[in-house]
Amino acid sequence: MALYLRNWTFRSNSTSPSHLQILCSNSIHFINRSFATAVEKSELETACSSSSFTFSSDGVVEDGKKTQKDESIYVKQPNFSSRDSSSVTMPMSFMTGSIVGKRFYNQVTTRKADDDNGWTVMLDYRTLRSPSKRPLKLPTLSLAKAIAAEWEYQLNDGIRPFTMPLMKLACTALERVPLTRVKIIEHLLKKFHQDLVFCRAPGDSDLTRGVLERQVEKIDPLLNWVESEFGFKPVVYSSFFGGKQEDGLVNAVESLLKKTSDCELAALDAMAAAAHSLVIPIGIFQGRLQIEDAIELIRLEEDLQVDRWGLVEGGHDVDIADLKVQISSAAVFLGLSRRF
């Protein structure tokens, strides 16, 4: 718009009034058309901004002339063609900080699944269900109580999905992992060669002074454990384009991933995405690393830079908090989902 005004000012010095009138008319038409397009785009984005999960409190199922009231809570994909005033739509992202709807239940409890295979969460007298309308069956009572606690601590003014990481992982394990297990493993193995713990800082650069020594001190014990656990020594590199691990090590890691349960694979995938590493989540999975140790390894290089140049408030501190939530919630989900 500013460019157009400057161009208009230039032309006004050498253009007749009739030409100015034409220019103004065209500009007004262009602005109106752009504004209408923007409004349409905004309405479309508003309609599509909600996704993934819808919580319905009093759905009614029609069967011919009969109507049968559904006493369950469904977590389902929203239908943009029609909006139900009795449902609350949960955003796709659980970490946006948005508040969705209002709390529509009073009491949260757990109970044994109807087939005695797992545990479910109850919102009042309604069973919490998955996006495909199956009961959200959890493998252990501990995990069911933890997810129930996430629902219990929601405030009356609205449901905050970003405060329910265990619920997110449970839906992922129940709905996404069984359908895309092969692709998840393939993606993890594809990124395995560029794992964070395999990359070494160059020792002759002043910008990375002290990083290599800290990597040798902190990461080498983990790499030694990988060699003893899988029988192959990892290859470390300092090239920007990464390196390639031995096929034997890759096959051993692949065999481990294929033996995991859906909940375990969902937790490993979530931690790998947050850590930019598969070795660190495997270390947590096998009991080699604690949560604090894992976070220290993930942030090793960045923490050295913070010590040297200082912490940026609203930047580094937020990243640290977000990383702790992602790694801790996935590690807790991993532990609670296991049957001992």
Side-chain angles (χ1 to χ4, degrees):
M1 186 64 181
L3 179 61
Y4 174 79
L5 289 176
R6 287 197 297 269
N7 193 21
W8 182 85
T9 303
F10 172 79
R11 292 185 178 183
S12 64
N13 295 328
S14 58
T15 308
S16 64
S18 60
H19 289 168
L20 291 178
Q21 185 177 3
I22 294 175
L23 286 173
C24 290
S25 176
N26 291 338
S27 65
I28 292 173
H29 175 70
F30 172 79
I31 293 172
N32 290 336
R33 184 176 58 184
S34 301
F35 179 77
T37 303
V39 170
E40 292 176 358
K41 182 178 180 181
S42 176
E43 292 176 351
L44 179 60
E45 290 176 351
T46 301
C48 297
S49 61
S50 59
S51 57
S52 200
F53 300 135
T54 301
F55 297 90
S56 180
S57 58
D58 55 350
V60 177
V61 179
E62 294 186 1
D63 183 12
K65 296 182 179 178
K66 298 181 179 180
T67 59
Q68 183 178 3
K69 188 173 182 180
D70 190 355
E71 301 295 350
S72 300
I73 299 292
Y74 290 104
V75 188
K76 60 185 179 182
Q77 293 183 350
N79 183 4
F80 296 120
S81 60
S82 61
R83 293 187 177 274
D84 186 1
S85 59
S86 62
S87 65
V88 179
T89 303
M90 179 173 286
M92 176 70 73
S93 173
F94 278 67
M95 301 302 293
T96 59
S98 58
I99 300 177
V100 189
K102 291 186 178 181
R103 175 167 173 161
F104 53 88
Y105 54 92
N106 296 318
Q107 186 179 12
V108 184
T109 57
T110 58
R111 73 171 187 180
K112 196 77 172 178
D114 293 337
D115 58 359
D116 289 333
N117 183 21
W119 298 82
T120 59
V121 176
M122 305 292 294
L123 304 182
D124 292 333
Y125 54 89
R126 306 174 182 91
T127 304
L128 186 62
R129 292 180 177 266
S130 70
S132 63
K133 298 184 179 181
R134 293 183 299 171
L136 190 70
K137 289 198 299 184
L138 303 164
T140 65
L141 176 60
S142 300
L143 181 57
K145 286 185 175 294
I147 293 177
E150 289 184 334
W151 285 94
E152 179 63 39
Y153 280 92
Q154 297 302 306
L155 301 179
N156 291 329
D157 64 343
I159 297 174
R160 292 163 172 80
F162 56 92
T163 64
M164 295 191 286
L166 299 180
M167 176 65 185
K168 171 187 175 182
L169 288 169
C171 290
T172 301
L174 183 64
E175 299 297 332
R176 176 171 170 257
V177 174
L179 300 177
T180 60
R181 166 176 281 271
V182 175
K183 291 185 178 180
I184 293 174
I185 294 177
E186 288 178 352
H187 177 74
L188 291 174
L189 294 176
K190 181 180 179 181
K191 300 295 184 181
F192 179 67
H193 298 283
Q194 287 78 40
D195 198 288
L196 176 69
V197 301
F198 300 149
C199 181
R200 289 296 167 88
D204 57 352
S205 174
D206 182 64
L207 294 176
T208 58
R209 186 176 66 248
V211 177
L212 179 60
E213 292 77 7
R214 186 67 67 87
Q215 288 176 330
V216 172
E217 176 189 356
K218 296 293 184 179
I219 297 180
D220 274 10
L222 179 61
L223 297 182
N224 294 335
W225 172 80
V226 170
E227 182 179 4
S228 63
E229 184 75 13
F230 298 104
F232 298 91
K233 184 176 182 178
V235 177
V236 297
Y237 55 86
S238 58
S239 170
F240 178 78
F241 299 99
K244 181 174 174 56
Q245 300 300 318
E246 293 186 39
D247 292 339
L249 179 59
V250 176
N251 293 335
V253 172
E254 182 180 9
S255 177
L256 173 67
L257 295 176
K258 288 181 177 180
K259 294 177 182 179
T260 57
S261 66
D262 291 341
C263 289
E264 291 172 339
L265 186 57
L268 286 171
D269 185 39
M271 286 189 287
H276 304 287
S277 168
L278 180 58
V279 175
I280 292 176
I282 289 178
I284 296 176
F285 177 75
Q286 296 288 73
R288 173 62 177 77
L289 292 175
Q290 299 298 319
I291 295 175
E292 295 81 4
D293 301 329
I295 294 174
E296 181 183 6
L297 293 179
I298 296 169
R299 290 194 49 83
L300 187 146
E301 184 174 352
E302 189 168 354
D303 284 342
L304 285 175
Q305 297 297 331
V306 169
D307 293 339
R308 184 177 181 183
W309 302 105
L311 182 142
V312 178
E313 294 184 1
H316 292 127
D317 50 352
V318 174
D319 292 340
I320 294 171
D322 181 62
L323 178 64
K324 288 181 178 180
V325 169
Q326 294 186 56
I327 297 298
S328 300
S329 60
V332 169
F333 181 84
L334 177 64
L336 294 178
S337 65
R338 287 176 167 174
R339 297 187 178 97
F340 294 101

